[in-house]
Amino acid sequence: MDVFQSLTGSAPVYIGLVLVLGLLVGSFLNVVIYRLPEMLQRNWRGQCAELLGGEDASPQERFDLIVPRSRCPTCGHQIAATENIPVVSYLLLRGKCSACGTGIPVRYPLVELGTGILSAMVAWRLGPSMACVFGLLFTWALVALSGIDLDKKLLPDAITLPLLWLGLLVNLGGVQGESGPAFANIADAVTGAAAGYLSLWLVYHIFRLATGKEGMGYGDFKLLGAIGAWLGWQYLPLTIVMSAVVGAVIGGAALAVRGRDSQTPIPFGPFLAAAGWISMMWGSDIMGAYLTVSGLR
C-alpha cells in the first residue's frame, strides 16, 4: 500500500508511469491492428469452406495475438526483445530491419507514442482512480479500432461489442473520479447505446434510399453505440458534430492534396473515435462553454 501511495501520490511520477505503460500497450496494439483482421479473415475463409463443403486454403499454423513471434515480413528475421522497445528501438535501428535493411513503417512508433501520450493525458485528467483505469481501457480500444479501420476499413465486432458491453457494466456500478462521478449513470448509458447505434443506422438508410449508395458501415453504428454506452446520450450530439466536421476537413484535404477520386471511401471510424475520446476528456467543458456563449445558461 505504501508503494502504491508513493507512486500515485506524486502527479508527475504517476503520469510518467502511465506514459510508460501506454508506450508498452501501444506496442501490443500494433500487433492487434495487424493481426486481428488477418485472424478474422482466416476464420471467415474456414467457415465459408466448411459451408461450401470445400477445403480451407488458409494457412494451418497457429496465428493469433501471441504466436508466432513478430518478424520482418521481408526476410523473416525474428524481432528480438531489444529490437522491440517502444519508440526507442525504432530510433536506434533508424527505422530499418537489423537483418535486411528494409524500412519499418513509421506507423509503428507513431501508434506507440500516440498511445503513450493519450494515456498520460487520461492519467492527468482523471487522476489515480478507477475512472482512470476504465478511461485507459476506453482509450486503448479506440486506438486499436482507429488503426484497423485506417488499414482495412473495418471496425471488428471483436472490439466494438465488448467495448459497448463494458461501458454498460462500468456505468452499472458507477465509477468515481477524483472530483466526483465519472462517465454516466446506467439509464443515460443504456439510452446512449441505443441512440448511438440507431442514429447512424437511420442516417445510413436514409442516405442509401436517397442515393443508392452506402455511406458508412455497420461498424460505425456499433462504435457510436459503444461511445454512448460509456459517456451517455448527452454526449452523442457533440461526438457526431465533431467527427463530421473533422471528417469533412480531413477528407477534403485528402482529395485536394492527393487528388483522390471522390468515390474513394474514407473510413469514418477514426473520426468517431477521436471525437468520442475528446468528449470523454473535455465534453462537459465544451458543452458548458457552448451553453454560456449561446446564452442558454
Side-chain angles (χ1 to χ4, degrees):
M1 181 62 69
D2 292 338
V3 175
F4 177 79
Q5 289 178 345
S6 64
L7 293 177
T8 59
S10 171
V13 172
Y14 176 66
I15 294 172
L17 289 174
V18 175
L19 171 63
V20 173
L21 175 62
L23 291 172
L24 296 173
V25 171
S27 181
F28 175 71
L29 293 184
N30 274 320
V31 176
V32 175
I33 291 168
Y34 174 75
R35 294 193 182 189
L36 183 58
E38 177 63 23
M39 291 164 55
L40 294 174
Q41 289 178 8
R42 292 189 182 194
N43 184 48
W44 294 333
R45 285 195 293 265
Q47 291 177 355
C48 290
E50 181 179 357
L51 180 64
L52 297 174
E55 183 176 351
D56 183 7
S58 301
Q60 297 303 310
E61 71 274 8
R62 179 180 170 185
F63 186 87
D64 52 36
L65 299 181
I66 307 299
V67 177
R69 286 180 54 185
S70 298
R71 63 187 65 190
C72 173
T74 301
C75 68
H77 167 69
Q78 286 194 345
I79 308 300
T82 55
E83 299 173 328
N84 205 26
I85 303 172
V87 181
V88 175
S89 292
Y90 183 87
L91 296 175
L92 293 177
L93 294 171
R94 298 181 180 180
K96 297 180 181 179
C97 171
S98 61
C100 67
T102 300
I104 302 172
V106 71
R107 182 196 77 185
Y108 291 103
L110 287 180
V111 169
E112 293 166 351
L113 185 60
T115 305
I117 292 174
L118 294 177
S119 299
M121 293 175 70
V122 171
W124 161 74
R125 182 70 172 173
L126 300 179
S129 61
M130 285 305 299
C132 181
V133 173
F134 291 122
L136 289 173
L137 293 176
F138 184 65
T139 300
W140 298 338
L142 294 180
V143 171
L145 287 168
S146 297
I148 294 173
D149 204 20
L150 286 171
D151 268 1
K152 302 295 184 180
K153 297 181 177 61
L154 171 71
L155 292 170
D157 289 351
I159 300 179
T160 55
L161 295 184
L163 184 64
L164 188 155
W165 290 114
L166 180 59
L168 294 178
L169 290 174
V170 166
N171 288 319
L172 178 63
V175 178
Q176 294 292 318
E178 283 196 317
S179 58
F183 304 116
N185 61 55
I186 187 59
D188 291 341
V190 171
T191 304
Y197 184 93
L198 292 175
S199 59
L200 288 189
W201 178 89
L202 184 61
V203 170
Y204 166 86
H205 284 288
I206 291 175
F207 183 82
R208 183 178 60 84
L209 292 173
T211 66
K213 301 175 183 178
E214 296 184 357
M216 62 183 69
Y218 276 64
D220 297 315
F221 315 163
K222 298 167 189 174
L223 175 54
L224 187 58
I227 292 172
W230 278 83
L231 306 181
W233 64 267
Q234 296 91 336
Y235 289 89
L236 291 177
L238 175 64
T239 300
I240 293 172
V241 170
M242 285 195 298
S243 60
V245 171
V246 175
V249 171
I250 294 180
L255 291 174
V257 173
R258 300 181 182 179
R260 297 178 62 171
D261 187 283
S262 61
Q263 301 302 314
T264 302
I266 297 176
F268 190 51
F271 306 130
L272 278 176
W277 187 81
I278 293 172
S279 294
M280 177 189 73
M281 294 287 284
W282 299 288
S284 59
D285 296 337
I286 294 173
M287 291 194 296
Y290 170 77
L291 292 175
T292 300
V293 170
S294 62
L296 298 176
R297 187 173 68 178

